């Protein structure tokens, strides 16, 4: 097994093991809607959404693992308090939807 697949597996397992105690786990039903709204939003709404997500994610015990997972999985969506597109974190400046 490659080092990358091991890290990806471990990061995913760590995030899943505490999914009920992390902010996104508590807001799972709304997370898809937040991602959809973010992708369709103007700059102000994107900045507002990122500020809200940042506040939710900041105290998360899996913040680093979440960012690692998003990068390795080439995730597009909200993760680790920011917007990822194809595994790359975006600053939230300007339109960065899918």
């Amino acid at each position: 097994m490659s080092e990358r697949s091991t890290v990806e597996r471990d990061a995913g397992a760590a995030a899943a093991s505490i999914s009920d105690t992390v902010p996104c786990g508590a807001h799972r039903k709304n997370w898809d809607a937040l991602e959809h709204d973010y992708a369709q939003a103007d700059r102000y709404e994107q900045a507002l959404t990122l500020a809200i997500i940042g506040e939710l994610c900041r105290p998360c015990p899996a913040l680093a693992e979440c960012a690692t997972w998003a990068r390795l999985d080439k995730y597009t969506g909200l993760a680790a308090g920011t917007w990822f597109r194809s595994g790359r974190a975006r600053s939230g400046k300007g339109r960065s939807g899918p």
Side-chain angles (χ1 to χ4, degrees), residues 22-88:
V22 295
C24 59
H27 298 281
R28 191 176 319 255
K29 292 179 183 177
N30 298 322
W31 209 259
D32 288 341
L34 281 170
E35 289 180 326
H36 177 268
D37 291 349
Y38 179 89
Q40 304 300 317
D42 62 27
R43 287 185 203 179
Y44 172 78
E45 291 168 330
Q46 286 182 342
L48 182 60
T49 300
L50 284 180
I52 292 167
I53 296 303
E55 289 299 314
L56 286 173
C57 293
R58 185 181 340 253
C60 181
L63 192 64
E65 291 85 355
C66 186
T68 298
W69 166 80
R71 282 191 303 276
L72 293 173
D73 197 50
K74 300 204 182 301
Y75 184 66
T76 295
L78 296 166
T82 195
W83 179 260
F84 281 80
R85 183 170 182 196
S86 300
R88 293 183 181 207

Side-chain angles (χ1 to χ4, degrees), residues 7 9 20 38 84:
V7 170
R9 179 182 44 98
D20 292 335
Y38 179 89
F84 281 80

